[in-house]
Amino acid sequence: MVSGKFRDVLILTVLAGVILALCVYKLTRTNRPVSAEEAVPINVQPAPTFELLDSSETSQMVRLASFIGRHRIVLLFFDGAAGADQDAHLLRLRDQYDAITADGTKVIAVSAALPQENRSVFERSGEFPFPLLSDPDFRVHRMWGRYDEQRDVPRQGLFLIDRKGDVAWADGSPRPVDDPQAIIDELATRR
């Protein structure tokens, strides 16, 4: 028969071994990064829809609602005052357009610049393969939380809208992604 003292030491030794094994497992385990596809926003709601004038030569009205239900959408609000050819995220979307849209994803960019201001950028740096929309009265910027009322200026931001038309929300308006460059790179490399 095993004495009580020996049994207690044996149990403590086994428990210590289990705890040590769990600690080693936890410390050596590698966590893979979570992709934009896998990340689940806490609060998703339907994306506010809009209709704005495209700055291209055709000057057509573009309706966000016409893409919802059929496509995933990358929506970028960019600094139109600096010019479309000066926005790093917009240029990266243009450079990676074919890779990003290979699965049917649509890209749309919005600024407060007038259509003729965006067209002057086309003359300097070439066309963009996606619509550059004009929102000079900031109506759409306000709908998307991209207008700073206190400073009276538009704000930049990149949004991912899923095929159902849902987007992440926070504080009463759509929430832009935290790291636009990382999301653009990820969209360009997924197949």
Side-chain angles (χ1 to χ4, degrees):
M1 188 101 189
V2 178
S3 72
K5 189 175 186 181
F6 180 72
R7 186 185 69 225
D8 291 345
V9 170
L10 183 61
I11 291 173
L12 288 175
T13 305
V14 170
L15 286 175
V18 169
I19 291 171
L20 179 65
L22 287 172
C23 289
V24 168
Y25 169 75
K26 184 71 172 171
L27 290 173
T28 59
R29 186 178 91 177
T30 57
N31 292 327
R32 66 177 182 78
V34 176
S35 72
E37 289 285 326
E38 298 168 318
V40 179
I42 294 171
N43 182 14
V44 294
Q45 295 180 28
T49 60
F50 58 82
E51 184 175 352
L52 289 172
L53 186 64
D54 186 357
S55 296
S56 67
E57 289 183 17
T58 59
S59 297
Q60 297 178 9
M61 294 300 282
V62 174
R63 295 180 56 231
L64 181 64
S66 67
F67 300 111
I68 291 175
R70 299 179 7 214
H71 303 282
R72 181 175 181 190
I73 303 163
V74 175
L75 176 63
L76 176 70
F77 286 83
F78 70 97
D79 182 3
D85 57 343
Q86 300 300 312
D87 188 282
H89 300 312
L90 190 66
L91 294 175
R92 182 80 172 134
L93 284 170
R94 180 173 72 175
D95 293 344
Q96 297 298 321
Y97 180 77
D98 290 337
I100 291 170
T101 60
D103 68 348
T105 297
K106 296 295 181 187
V107 177
I108 301 171
V110 178
S111 79
L114 296 171
Q116 56 269 30
E117 293 170 328
N118 282 334
R119 281 194 287 275
S120 69
V121 170
F122 299 159
E123 294 168 9
R124 288 193 309 263
S125 66
E127 293 279 333
F128 284 77
F130 47 85
L132 298 184
L133 308 181
S134 293
D135 182 34
D137 62 359
F138 307 116
R139 178 182 56 83
V140 174
H141 280 78
R142 284 183 173 98
M143 286 170 48
W144 281 80
R146 298 290 85 207
Y147 190 76
D148 185 334
E149 299 287 347
Q150 293 174 337
R151 293 181 28 215
D152 196 32
V153 293
R155 297 185 307 181
Q156 298 170 313
L158 186 134
F159 299 85
L160 294 177
I161 305 168
D162 67 19
R163 290 184 193 279
K164 295 183 296 187
D166 291 334
V167 66
W169 282 68
D171 301 321
S173 64
R175 180 181 165 268
V177 299
D178 292 327
D179 187 351
Q181 195 63 46
I183 295 297
I184 293 169
D185 291 343
E186 181 181 324
L187 290 169
T189 58
R190 69 183 164 84
R191 296 276 177 230

